[in-house]
Amino acid sequence: MPIRRGRTVHLTPEQARRSDQCNAMLLQFLAVLFLVAAPLCLCWAEWEQHEMHMAFEEAAERAVSVRPEAPVSAMNSGGLVHVATSDIRVEETLSDNDFGITAPQGTVKLARKNEYCQWVEHVTEKKNRNGEKVRSYWYTKGWRSHPVPSVFFSQPFRHHNPLRQPFSDGLLQAQEVRLASYTVGPRLVDSLPVSAPLQLESSAAAAVEQSMAAREHGFRYVGDGYFYSPYEESAAGWWAKLAGQFLEGSLLDIQLTDLFDQCTPGDVRTHFKVATPTSLTALGRQLDGEGHIGAWLSAREYEVALLREGIRTTEDMLEEVKSEHRYLVLLFRAVAIGWMYLLLGKLGVEEHSLVRFAASVAGTAGIMGALWLVTWGISPLSLMMTTFLAAVAVVIRREADRATEPPYVPTA
């Protein structure tokens, strides 16, 4: 990733004081936001895991595997069915009119994702040997998922980002997919992942040259599902940027990175991905005697509507979804430890102490134990973990007593 050094600014004492005040206010705001959001996210993740587990346990017991090539049985109407087959038929043809693309026959989903070549500004502050605060700017250039405004950069003309956005992201999908005798509806199609890049044949790539994207924005197909549109700067824009660089003092700031451009800010590339499976497995509710499959609701109103590539068992599909959510739960639990560490600091526990870290882990375990008592019910593990909250309360009380103790004065 290309990196350019920006200017270095020596702050006056007044500027340093204002910078410290702004940073402190921002950190306070982020701390309050974190203190509020982190426990809510943990509660949601734990509750979602519980509801998912209960629904999937029920689904594993009630799911009926049907033979897709056999006539549809009306007896399964309203029940949870598992259908796995290689007999896939998609009546619709997915086309992107902006780029003149027609997806291959049998494509269930066609996704369009844009990326933008942009500069991003980074700022570091430190004190030099004289105690002065020094602010340094540096810039990285690369592909971003969204345009980055450069008007507030320290050197906005040398690192100018054209906010060029010819097309938005998009997703096209078939409304119905036939799995032999059964028909999968939109809710299940929504759950099908899209991962394979669109591969165009030479004849299809030639047709793209006549599309609106090619005529108006200069897009061309570069392979592996990517279309590239280079940024063309106007003469007036070039002169204006040159004048701005002169005024900000960056006109002669030429660095080695400038000689090895990866991309030009303002360039846009669009990536197309498709889901064109050769076999599919569906898990959902049979809506009628004609074999239409939609979302199934558990006794606790949790929705199950899954569609995956390949021939999969019910247990395999459910375990895949649970494992994906399990990583999210572990992430929120780790964040909760940081939340508890910050909260204990606000309550007066000694900063950066081993006791504070141990209390953070114990406090998080205690909160999880309380959540498990609410969701999973009483168990030895949840009761044991809940008692950790008492240990944290002892630590907080000890630190509070230490803070109120009068200073020790030795007697003569």
Side-chain angles (χ1 to χ4, degrees):
M1 180 180 292
I3 301 175
R4 293 189 87 259
R5 288 190 60 85
R7 59 170 56 138
T8 299
V9 180
H10 293 260
L11 303 181
T12 64
E14 179 63 20
Q15 289 174 330
R17 185 183 66 82
R18 291 180 179 178
S19 175
D20 290 340
Q21 287 181 343
C22 291
N23 291 338
M25 291 176 61
L26 179 61
L27 287 176
Q28 288 292 335
F29 172 76
L30 293 177
V32 171
L33 184 64
F34 181 67
L35 286 173
V36 173
L40 294 178
C41 291
L42 178 64
C43 291
W44 170 83
E46 295 288 349
W47 180 260
E48 179 72 10
Q49 185 180 44
H50 170 262
E51 293 299 298
M52 180 183 294
H53 176 81
M54 299 298 291
F56 285 5
E57 287 288 317
E58 182 182 350
E61 294 178 0
R62 295 195 176 188
V64 176
S65 295
V66 298
R67 294 176 55 195
E69 67 278 1
V72 176
S73 173
M75 295 180 61
N76 294 324
S77 296
L80 182 65
V81 294
H82 166 263
V83 183
T85 182
S86 299
D87 184 6
I88 304 172
R89 284 167 288 168
V90 182
E91 303 296 335
E92 302 175 56
T93 300
L94 303 182
S95 301
D96 187 301
N97 296 327
D98 295 330
F99 285 80
I101 292 174
T102 300
Q105 187 65 33
T107 298
V108 179
K109 278 187 170 182
L110 174 64
R112 182 174 75 188
K113 177 68 175 178
N114 296 304
E115 296 177 342
Y116 309 89
C117 182
Q118 302 277 271
W119 287 108
V120 172
E121 183 180 72
H122 309 269
V123 184
T124 57
E125 290 184 354
K126 61 181 181 180
K127 290 186 177 181
N128 59 16
R129 295 179 179 178
N130 300 326
E132 296 177 323
K133 179 168 286 189
V134 179
R135 180 181 295 165
S136 301
Y137 296 89
W138 51 285
Y139 301 85
T140 57
K141 182 173 64 174
W143 293 103
R144 318 293 175 185
S145 61
H146 58 278
V148 180
S150 58
V151 64
F152 298 111
F153 285 1
S154 175
Q155 294 175 314
F157 291 97
R158 168 57 70 176
H159 308 95
H160 174 58
N161 284 334
L163 300 182
R164 180 169 171 253
Q165 201 169 5
F167 301 102
S168 60
D169 296 344
L171 175 65
L172 298 173
Q173 66 181 38
Q175 294 302 304
E176 291 185 343
V177 180
R178 293 282 297 178
L179 303 183
S181 302
Y182 292 82
T183 304
V184 171
R187 187 61 192 89
L188 272 74
V189 176
D190 287 341
S191 69
L192 180 66
V194 182
S195 57
L198 174 67
Q199 302 293 346
L200 291 183
E201 299 178 355
S202 56
S203 57
V208 173
E209 298 178 359
Q210 307 300 322
S211 66
M212 182 178 68
R215 296 193 315 268
E216 298 184 7
H217 303 286
F219 277 94
R220 65 180 186 275
Y221 182 64
V222 294
D224 203 28
Y226 279 97
F227 292 79
Y228 196 92
S229 173
Y231 174 63
E232 296 181 0
E233 191 172 28
S234 65
W238 185 84
W239 282 108
K241 188 169 70 174
L242 208 64
Q245 291 176 7
F246 174 77
L247 293 174
E248 71 183 12
S250 63
L251 181 61
L252 301 179
D253 180 19
I254 301 175
Q255 301 181 21
L256 185 63
T257 301
D258 302 333
L259 305 178
F260 302 95
D261 275 348
Q262 179 188 16
C263 60
T264 301
D267 291 356
V268 179
R269 67 181 186 184
T270 301
H271 192 206
F272 283 88
K273 291 183 178 181
V274 294
T276 311
T278 56
S279 58
L280 282 173
T281 301
L283 184 65
R285 178 172 179 260
Q286 183 175 320
L287 302 177
D288 50 37
E290 297 180 358
H292 290 90
I293 301 176
W296 176 81
L297 294 179
S298 69
R300 301 173 64 93
E301 299 295 317
Y302 194 91
E303 184 178 280
V304 176
L306 299 177
L307 185 65
R308 294 291 186 270
E309 290 194 42
I311 305 297
R312 314 279 290 275
T313 64
T314 299
E315 292 74 14
D316 182 32
M317 295 178 70
L318 297 176
E319 182 58 34
E320 178 185 342
V321 178
K322 285 197 294 186
S323 64
E324 292 173 356
H325 186 75
R326 193 175 297 126
Y327 289 117
L328 185 63
V329 173
L330 292 176
L331 173 63
F332 282 130
R333 289 174 182 174
V335 171
I337 296 177
W339 170 81
M340 181 61 71
Y341 189 86
L342 179 62
L343 180 63
L344 291 176
K346 294 290 184 182
L347 296 176
V349 180
E350 182 181 353
E351 187 175 6
H352 305 314
S353 66
L354 182 61
V355 173
R356 181 175 169 184
F357 177 76
S360 302
V361 176
T364 303
I367 292 175
M368 288 170 50
L371 290 174
W372 291 356
L373 278 175
V374 174
T375 55
W376 300 95
I378 298 176
S379 68
L381 179 60
S382 60
L383 288 173
M384 181 187 68
M385 293 180 65
T386 305
T387 58
F388 288 159
L389 288 175
V392 177
V394 171
V395 172
I396 295 174
R397 180 59 184 269
R398 189 198 68 177
E399 293 295 329
D401 292 343
R402 179 184 298 177
T404 56
E405 285 181 359
Y408 172 73
V409 179
T411 58

